[in-house]
Amino acid sequence: MRDHNYYVYIATNKHCTTLYIGMTNDLGRRIIEHKNGERAGFTQRYQLNRLVWFEYFRDVNAAIAREKKLKGWLRSKKIALIEKENPRWFDLSADWEQEPKIDGCPSVEEIVRDSSLRSE
């Protein structure tokens, strides 16, 4: 059986005023699409192209359930989730020039600590 990767993520705009929660099986591709304005609709209209939080799953049903749960949260709870791992709201994908290969299950904390993956 082949392993699968799924990600639930939160994207925002440059002023961190609007939040978008999404799910994908290819986080790198999806964020590049957001950055290039290729995702028509809400994310394109509000320029939601900064990755500020994500979570990794191997099970698609768990990822879907988590996405639905987060979408039901109040904004304040979503902000607390982001700030627990990424208190300065760094764009975790700021230095991605192409789709990154994400192996294993990196935590946001590991990415935030790695200055090569963020802008300051």
Side-chain angles (χ1 to χ4, degrees):
M1 178 179 215
R2 189 176 145 223
D3 286 331
H4 295 281
N5 300 316
Y6 302 96
Y7 302 87
V8 176
Y9 65 96
I10 300 177
T12 191
N13 57 6
K14 69 179 179 178
H15 300 293
C16 301
T17 55
T18 305
L19 300 176
Y20 173 79
I21 296 171
M23 194 214 55
T24 182
N25 66 351
D26 189 335
L27 185 61
R29 175 186 46 80
R30 180 59 54 83
I31 296 303
I32 297 298
E33 290 172 353
H34 286 308
K35 287 185 179 295
N36 293 333
E38 297 170 10
R39 305 287 303 174
F42 185 78
T43 59
Q44 187 180 57
R45 182 177 29 219
Y46 292 98
Q47 298 176 348
L48 304 174
N49 55 21
R50 295 171 49 96
L51 176 66
V52 292
W53 178 90
F54 71 91
E55 197 169 17
Y56 171 83
F57 296 86
R58 287 249 182 234
D59 177 62
V60 68
N61 294 316
I64 291 168
R66 179 66 163 163
E67 178 191 25
K68 287 180 180 181
K69 182 176 184 179
L70 295 179
K71 285 183 174 185
W73 284 6
L74 294 174
R75 179 180 173 81
S76 60
K77 193 169 178 179
K78 295 172 190 175
I79 289 170
L81 176 68
I82 295 165
E83 291 184 346
K84 179 180 176 190
E85 299 291 334
N86 187 3
R88 295 185 56 196
W89 291 58
F90 289 118
D91 180 355
L92 302 175
S93 66
D95 296 332
W96 294 356
E97 294 179 18
Q98 57 188 3
E99 295 180 31
K101 182 171 180 6
I102 300 176
D103 292 322
C105 183
S107 69
V108 172
E109 184 176 277
E110 290 170 321
I111 290 173
V112 170
R113 274 195 306 252
D114 184 348
S115 62
S116 70
L117 296 176
R118 64 171 191 227
S119 62
E120 297 192 55

